[in-house]
């Protein structure tokens, strides 16, 4: 089945109001790539100014709390980011799984919160280098899918990003064959969990995607887009990745 490509950026804890000027060129490129969906997740403080600056671009959050409101000092709910202009959120990024000890159950709750608030979600999974070296990449990733997939998972609001932890920000990437193998395993697991909807769900690859390797990685079997960290910070690097998605 032909799935529309999704090229998503993740600014992590980077950016400023001045840096939002980069979004102008990204939005212009997105307008010239009608076959591709383009989205950028930014720090919470930049959601509203980004959404106001480039209304045609999907602006997202990098995380949300699972509750809608309450005594959770410093946290932000899906309803709050939606009110600020976010149309989606990342959940379960490996940096949060590691730094904030987020469990699969936490990630499932956060994805459910996105659905409750009426926004989309990109749910991240991925193995560590030790897990890959032990031959456990597939079982780790499919286990994360089983543990963190929310009720009502459907392609119209949820995408999965496979991001090997050892490939994020390192300049290292798996081979195209390795990416295709894991994406195939994810889709097979999704078929068990959500039946026919698995065929419609977009599976993104993330981890050191650059203008140089985007075309090859996006061409792998079962790869329906990319989640891009460092190379999403500037239009100069992100636009060629959008173009690779459109090719
Ligand atoms: C990410 O943050 O999700 C990511 C893939 O980062 P990078 O592209 O910098 O490896």
């Amino acid at each position: 089945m032909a799935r529309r490509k999704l090229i998503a950026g993740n600014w992590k804890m980077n950016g400023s109001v001045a840096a939002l000027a980069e979004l102008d060129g990204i939005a212009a490129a997105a307008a010239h790539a009608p076959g591709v969906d383009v989205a950028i997740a930014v720090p919470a403080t930049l959601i509203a100014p980004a959404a106001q600056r480039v209304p045609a671009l999907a602006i997202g959050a990098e995380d949300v709390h699972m509750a809608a409101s309450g005594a959770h000092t410093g946290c932000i709910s899906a309803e709050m980011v939606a009110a600020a202009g976010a149309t989606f959120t990342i959940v379960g990024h490996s940096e949060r799984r590691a730094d904030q000890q987020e469990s699969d159950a936490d990630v499932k709750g956060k994805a459910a919160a996105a659905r409750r608030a009426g926004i989309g979600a990109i749910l991240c999974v991925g193995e560590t280098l030790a897990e890959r070296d032990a031959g456990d990449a597939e079982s780790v990733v499919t286990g994360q899918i089983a543990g963190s997939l929310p009720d009502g998972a459907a392609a119209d609001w949820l995408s999965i990003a496979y991001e090997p932890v050892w490939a994020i920000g390192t300049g290292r990437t798996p081979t195209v064959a390795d990416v295709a193998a894991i994406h195939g395993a994810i889709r097979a697991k999704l078929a068990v969990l959500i039946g026919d909807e698995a065929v419609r769900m977009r599976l993104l690859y993330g981890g050191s995607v650059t203008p140089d390797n985007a075309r090859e990685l996006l061409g792998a079997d079962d790869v329906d887009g990319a989640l891009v960290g460092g190379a999403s910070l500037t239009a100069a690097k992100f636009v060629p990745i959008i173009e690779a998605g459109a090719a």
Side-chain angles (χ1 to χ4, degrees):
M1 176 189 175
R3 289 171 293 267
R4 212 177 140 79
K5 290 258 192 310
L6 169 60
I7 307 296
N10 171 18
W11 278 16
K12 311 193 187 196
M13 200 168 73
N14 298 295
S16 60
V17 171
L20 295 180
E22 296 293 335
L23 298 182
D24 299 350
I26 292 170
H32 288 99
V36 179
D37 291 330
V38 179
I40 302 263
V42 296
T45 52
L46 295 178
I47 292 171
Q52 281 154 21
R53 183 171 185 127
V54 283
L57 204 57
I59 299 298
E62 299 173 5
D63 176 55
V64 292
H65 195 275
M66 49 280 271
S69 63
H72 304 290
T73 302
C75 298
I76 303 177
S77 72
E79 284 77 0
M80 289 170 173
V81 301
T87 57
F88 75 98
T89 183
I90 295 171
V91 294
H93 193 283
S94 62
E95 287 155 12
R96 293 200 59 85
R97 287 180 186 260
D99 296 353
Q100 273 74 36
Q101 291 84 46
E102 287 187 3
S103 66
D104 285 338
D106 294 333
V107 176
K108 181 175 182 172
K110 288 167 182 247
R115 182 170 180 238
R116 182 189 65 222
I119 61 174
I122 298 173
L123 192 166
C124 302
V125 294
E127 83 284 1
T128 63
L129 190 57
E131 290 164 340
R132 174 156 285 268
D133 288 345
D136 294 337
E138 196 173 307
S139 62
V140 166
V141 167
T142 53
Q144 288 173 330
I145 294 284
S148 51
L149 199 74
D151 294 341
D156 62 350
W157 71 275
L158 183 71
S159 303
I160 307 293
Y162 167 55
E163 299 204 305
V165 176
W166 51 273
I168 295 179
T170 60
R172 295 182 59 192
T173 55
T175 65
V176 167
D178 285 342
V179 172
I182 297 285
H183 279 224
I186 292 173
R187 203 172 300 282
K189 186 68 180 183
L190 288 173
V192 171
L193 296 170
I194 57 172
D196 290 348
E197 191 62 14
V199 179
R200 286 182 280 278
M201 193 159 289
R202 291 189 286 198
L203 309 185
L204 317 183
Y205 167 76
S208 295
V209 176
T210 66
D212 292 335
N213 63 21
R215 192 176 287 247
E216 187 185 18
L217 289 164
L218 287 165
D221 284 350
D222 262 314
V223 173
D224 308 310
L227 181 55
V228 184
S232 71
L233 290 170
T234 62
K237 288 196 173 158
F238 198 51
V239 167
I241 299 173
I242 295 171
E243 290 168 351

